[in-house]
Amino acid sequence: MREYSIAAIPADGIGPEVIAAGVQVLEALEKRMGDVKFTVKNFDWGSDYYKKNGIMMPADGLAQLKPFDAIYFGAVGAPDVPDHITLWGLRLPICQGFDQYANVRPTKILPGITPPLRNCKEGDLDWVIVRENSEGEYSGHGGRAHKGLPEEVGTEVAIFTRVGVTRIMRYAFKLAQARPRKLLTVVTKSNAQRHGMVMWDEIAAEVAQEFPDVTWDKMLVDAMTVRMTLKPQSLDTIVATNLHADILSDLAGALAGSLGVAPTGNIDPERRFPSMFEPIHGSAFDITGKGIANPVASFWTAAQMLDHLGEADASARLMRAVEKVCAAGILTPDVGGTANTKQVTDAVIDAIHSSNI
Ligand code: IPM
Ligand code: MG
C-alpha cells in the first residue's frame, strides 16, 4: 500500500465546498485502485480564522505543513477582509516559504463544454502555462512614503534574478520537451521593460541550447492575448512572469469555457517541501453556499497532485472520469449546465468505479 498525507486547507468562500468534493473523489480512487491510501488532515485557516485570531494561519503554520506530502488548497478572500491581507497571510507565505517556484496551469477544452470562441473546437486549445511563482511582480518589494500627503509615493518593484529566471525557464523547457508537440512560447514585455525582461529573453536563449529538440518562440504579452484568442492552435507550453501569467491564465480559463475548470499546481520541483494544488477560481462569494460551485477545477488539480506524487494511473483515471461526466453534459451552470456540485461529484465517483474507466 502506498500512503500519502495530504494537508487540506479549504479556507474561504466556495473553497470548502469544492475541497470536500475533491476529498470524496480521492476516497473513491482509493477504493477503486486498492493499493493507494490518502490520509487527509483538515486545517481551518483562512478569513474566519483571521477574524477570531487576527492572523490567517498560526505563526508555526509552515512548520505544521512541512511533513505532509502535498497541500490541497481551496480559495482565499473574504468580502470584509482586504485581499492583500488574506493573500499575504496564507497563500503567498506558503508558495514563497516552500519555494514553490513553478506554478503550472494546464488548460484544455473538456468534452461537452462549449468554448466562447466560434471556431475553436476541442483539441484546438491544449496549453500548459508555466508561471514564475517566487519573485517578479509578486516579490513584495516596495513601499510607501509620505502617506496621505500630496507628495505620497508608492513603489512596487518587480525582482528578477538570474537564478529565479533560469530555473523556471529550465522547468518550462523540460515540460515542453515532455509534451508531444515540444513547443514553447516565452512571454515578456521586453520592448518596454528593458532590464529584467531583456534578461528573461537572454536567459531563454541560453537555456534553449540545452533543449535542441524543443521549438521555441518569443511573444510580447500584449500580442500574446491576441494570439491566444485568434490562433489558439499555434500554442502549447507557455512560460511567463508571475503577473503576466496570472493574467494570461485567466484568459486561458475563459477561452476554455470557465475559470470553474481551471487548476493550478504550485510546485517545488526539487521536492524539498510539499507542493500545493488548488483551483484557480477563488472564493466566489456570489455563489458561496448555493451548492452550485464547479468542482471540476478541484478534481483536475487533484489529478495534478496525484501526478506529482507519482500516481500517474490514479491521475489518468480521475481525468478520464471527469471527461466522461463532462461529455455526458453533467455540468454546473458556469459551463452552461443545470447540475449542482453534488450531482457532478456523484457522477465522477460513479465513473471512477465504472469498469471502462
Ligand atoms: C491566481 C489568483 C491569485 C494570484 C490572487 C488571488 C492573488 O488570481 O491564483 O491566479 O494573482 O496569484
Ligand atoms: Mg489569477
Side-chain angles (χ1 to χ4, degrees):
M1 185 73 74
R2 296 180 303 284
E3 298 195 14
Y4 301 101
S5 59
I6 313 287
I9 311 177
D12 302 345
I14 60 171
E17 300 170 40
V18 295
I19 293 301
V23 170
Q24 275 182 273
V25 157
L26 287 176
E27 286 163 3
L29 278 169
E30 263 181 1
K31 284 200 196 106
R32 181 67 168 83
M33 308 293 294
D35 56 359
V36 56
K37 183 160 170 39
F38 307 105
T39 309
V40 180
K41 179 166 181 209
N42 237 56
F43 289 83
D44 64 348
W45 306 341
S47 296
D48 286 342
Y49 186 95
Y50 174 82
K51 285 177 209 160
K52 279 187 228 124
N53 303 292
I55 38 176
M56 292 290 288
M57 67 171 162
D60 68 345
L62 290 192
Q64 290 190 41
L65 295 174
K66 173 105 196 320
F68 286 85
D69 292 314
I71 302 164
Y72 194 30
F73 192 91
V76 275
D80 47 356
V81 185
D83 283 339
H84 64 274
I85 292 192
T86 50
L87 183 70
W88 282 97
L90 188 59
R91 188 173 160 271
L92 284 184
I94 299 174
C95 289
Q96 299 192 347
F98 286 163
D99 206 13
Q100 296 162 345
Y101 65 82
N103 181 292
V104 181
R105 303 190 155 188
T107 317
K108 67 181 168 190
I109 297 172
L110 294 171
I113 292 184
T114 312
L117 291 174
R118 211 177 336 133
N119 296 321
C120 188
K121 309 171 298 301
E122 203 189 318
D124 286 348
L125 190 164
D126 183 355
W127 305 331
V128 184
I129 298 180
V130 177
R131 170 178 179 184
E132 201 296 314
N133 211 32
S134 67
E135 53 179 35
E137 308 85 345
Y138 282 58
S139 64
H141 203 77
R144 288 171 66 176
H146 315 301
K147 266 202 182 170
L149 297 174
E151 60 270 35
E152 179 169 359
V153 48
T155 59
E156 198 72 55
V157 182
I159 305 241
F160 302 102
T161 65
R162 178 164 276 279
V163 166
V165 178
T166 305
R167 67 186 185 174
I168 198 64
M169 214 49 92
R170 215 168 255 145
Y171 186 91
F173 270 96
K174 231 182 246 167
L175 182 68
Q177 193 177 45
R179 287 172 54 88
R181 293 173 70 191
K182 299 189 195 302
L183 183 64
L184 177 70
T185 300
V186 176
V187 179
T188 63
K189 186 66 188 172
S190 56
N191 54 350
Q193 299 186 307
R194 60 202 171 129
H195 308 295
M197 293 284 79
V198 173
M199 186 177 83
W200 263 74
D201 282 346
E202 286 172 15
I203 293 175
E206 285 166 29
V207 173
Q209 311 252 317
E210 299 167 24
F211 299 88
D213 55 338
V214 173
T215 309
W216 72 287
D217 59 4
K218 291 188 289 189
M219 288 298 291
L220 298 171
V221 65
D222 48 348
M224 183 65 172
T225 61
V226 178
R227 181 162 162 200
M228 285 168 74
T229 310
L230 299 184
K231 289 196 180 135
Q233 311 82 348
S234 73
L235 295 162
D236 186 82
T237 309
I238 296 158
V239 62
T241 70
N242 216 329
L243 181 63
H244 290 168
D246 173 42
I247 298 164
L248 295 180
S249 60
D250 262 31
L251 175 60
L255 294 177
S258 167
L259 265 197
V261 302
T264 298
N266 297 282
I267 299 195
D268 164 25
E270 279 80 41
R271 296 171 184 271
R272 300 154 294 173
F273 301 101
S275 292
M276 177 162 72
F277 300 86
E278 58 174 339
I280 296 183
H281 50 57
S283 39
F285 275 90
D286 50 333
I287 57 162
T288 300
K290 294 191 176 160
I292 54 164
N294 193 339
V296 166
S298 62
F299 297 158
W300 193 344
T301 200
Q304 284 186 292
M305 177 166 76
L306 292 167
D307 263 329
H308 183 75
L309 294 172
E311 295 295 334
D313 285 353
S315 169
R317 186 182 299 274
L318 172 52
M319 281 316 287
R320 287 196 299 271
V322 167
E323 292 190 3
K324 183 178 169 186
V325 167
C326 291
I330 305 171
L331 302 166
T332 45
D334 57 301
V335 274
T338 55
N340 59 29
T341 311
K342 183 172 185 320
Q343 287 164 330
V344 175
T345 306
D346 289 347
V348 169
I349 290 171
D350 280 350
I352 287 171
H353 288 302
S354 72
S355 56
N356 60 349
I357 286 278

